[in-house]
Amino acid sequence: MKILHDNMGEVAHSLSNQQTFRIGLSGPPGAGKSTFIEAFGKYLTGHGHKVAVLAVDPSSSTTGGSLLGDKTRMPELSCDSNAYIRPSPTGGTLGGVTRTTNEAVVLSEGAGFDIVIIETVGVGQSEFSVADMVDIFCLLIPPAGGDELQGIKKGIVEVADMVIVNKSDGDLVPAARRIQAEYISALKFMRTRSKVWKPKVTRISSFTKDGIPELWDTLCHYRKLMNESGEFVNRREKQLKVWMWNHIKDHIMDIFCEDQHVENKLPSLENLVIKGAITPGLAADLLLKEFMKKS
Ligand SMILES: Nc1nc2c(ncn2[C@@H]2O[C@H](COP(=O)(O)OP(=O)(O)OP(=O)(O)O)[C@@H](O)[C@H]2O)c(=O)[nH]1
């Protein structure tokens, strides 16, 4: 990150002329995210792109370290001079992790990485935070149904611009085809987020690399359509506002929780709420009153 910082001054001004692409990637554990990023990332660097991989895993602050973004998961890509892999920052809330990731996106782009992949697992709200940070949000799934797909939250399919069925190779091809067909029909009934793009379901293999060039073509087609319609710029503008408000909310919550008046009253008011003596709304009003007293 220090290198990125150091380079930032020199190249930041060229950013406005350069079109960067922010790709969000989520998927249940075992879907093959690291194998996919390795294969996809190598394909991109082989085609002259510079790729940054950032991970968002708020659970890493409680587990003391993240598997996501771990360089050993992407051995080839991590040795590639046109790739940069950042593990999930440890410590802090999802808000904190989101903030540093927002900043890492800007820094990576400033340092000349034209493609930024933001990877996340299905923990808490992390997928939704990532969906708010990217130009296209992709869901990677294995060719399996039922229990194995239970890790996928309902709402997340609705925000996916692209569903990628991985492991479509060898004996798994028929299952991958079946899952692809299931998702195609399920997506038909979903409300689309864009006027010019209907979410697509594609099949790839991170092992054989089948489908990866076609996937990249589809992503480029998406970017072209979104650019031409003005939605690309609109989404980024909206995201900037969302980021700003998220940072404000986080900061205000910190100030609120650290306030001495609030801290003094909090245990007794929480207790009254639990016992049903007062409503949560009234307790919140009383705490806010305490907070305002100070200012
Ligand atoms: N057959 C086949 N297996 C794959 C493919 N991609 C990944 N796998 C296997 O799927 C398993 C999970 O892959 P990972 O890349 O570790 O999956 P992940 O989703 O990143 O999982 P975590 O790293 O635990 O978050 C591994 O055993 C991979 O070898 C593929 O394209 N085809």
Side-chain angles (χ1 to χ4, degrees):
M1 191 48 71
K2 182 167 182 316
I3 297 168
L4 292 179
H5 259 290
D6 293 346
N7 281 338
M8 186 140 173
E10 289 167 37
V11 288
H13 73 279
S14 64
L15 245 188
S16 50
N17 308 326
Q18 185 200 326
Q19 169 83 246
T20 61
F21 200 11
R22 302 169 185 169
I23 303 171
L25 182 77
S26 184
K33 290 182 294 299
S34 5
T35 319
F36 168 71
I37 294 174
E38 171 105 328
F40 185 56
K42 286 299 287 179
Y43 174 82
L44 294 173
T45 57
H47 283 75
H49 294 285
K50 288 189 80 182
V51 180
V53 180
L54 313 174
V56 173
D57 178 8
S59 66
S60 64
S61 54
T62 44
T63 54
S66 173
L67 278 178
L68 280 180
D70 182 346
K71 289 187 176 154
T72 57
R73 290 166 68 229
M74 301 162 201
E76 275 189 56
L77 198 60
S78 56
C79 299
D80 191 325
S81 58
N82 286 318
Y84 162 72
I85 301 176
R86 186 202 69 158
S88 182
T90 49
T93 56
L94 175 60
V97 174
T98 307
R99 180 180 181 144
T100 53
T101 305
N102 288 164
E103 284 160 2
V105 169
V106 176
L107 281 168
S108 305
E109 291 175 346
F113 291 92
D114 59 321
I115 297 175
V116 181
I117 299 174
I118 310 179
E119 177 197 10
T120 184
V121 279
V123 174
Q125 292 296 305
S126 62
E127 292 145 306
F128 297 95
S129 301
V130 168
D132 266 341
M133 263 182 226
V134 292
D135 304 316
I136 185 161
F137 186 71
C138 303
L139 182 65
L140 189 80
I141 53 168
D147 286 353
E148 280 150 297
L149 287 189
Q150 276 188 354
I152 301 179
K153 282 193 217 74
K154 275 251 148 47
I156 205 62
V157 179
E158 282 159 35
V159 295
D161 302 297
M162 193 81 208
V163 175
I164 307 167
V165 183
N166 189 28
K167 309 190 190 182
S168 180
D169 49 50
D171 294 348
L172 293 169
V173 172
R177 283 215 180 96
R178 199 173 54 243
I179 292 288
Q180 183 185 26
E182 277 174 24
Y183 270 82
I184 289 174
S185 39
L187 286 173
K188 267 192 203 136
F189 300 105
M190 278 184 199
R191 214 161 49 92
T192 51
R193 289 204 298 161
S194 157
K195 287 198 177 74
V196 293
W197 179 260
K198 280 199 184 341
K200 307 254 177 305
V201 187
T202 182
R203 248 179 331 114
I204 58 131
S205 164
S206 305
F207 277 4
T208 65
K209 324 276 192 289
D210 280 345
I212 292 204
E214 292 80 0
L215 168 66
W216 176 236
D217 288 347
T218 310
L219 297 185
C220 291
H221 182 56
Y222 166 91
R223 177 161 66 172
K224 185 169 172 283
L225 291 177
M226 296 293 277
N227 256 325
E228 286 168 357
S229 67
E231 282 188 43
F232 193 95
V233 171
N234 278 350
R235 251 204 211 191
R236 284 215 175 169
E237 285 173 357
K238 259 192 217 149
Q239 286 167 4
L240 288 171
K241 283 197 259 177
V242 170
W243 296 2
M244 184 189 80
W245 279 107
N246 285 346
H247 299 162
I248 292 174
K249 280 181 212 157
D250 272 355
H251 196 59
I252 287 186
M253 276 304 288
D254 288 345
I255 300 173
F256 182 81
C257 293
E258 283 159 16
D259 182 86
Q260 204 53 52
H261 296 80
V262 172
E263 237 180 74
N264 292 344
K265 287 270 176 196
L266 191 62
S268 57
L269 284 172
E270 269 183 343
N271 208 17
L272 289 172
V273 171
I274 294 168
K275 287 192 174 128
I278 59 171
T279 64
L282 177 59
D285 287 345
L286 292 171
L287 283 170
L288 283 166
K289 220 179 203 169
E290 285 299 317
F291 180 64
M292 306 292 255
K293 254 188 205 167
K294 185 185 156 203
S295 39

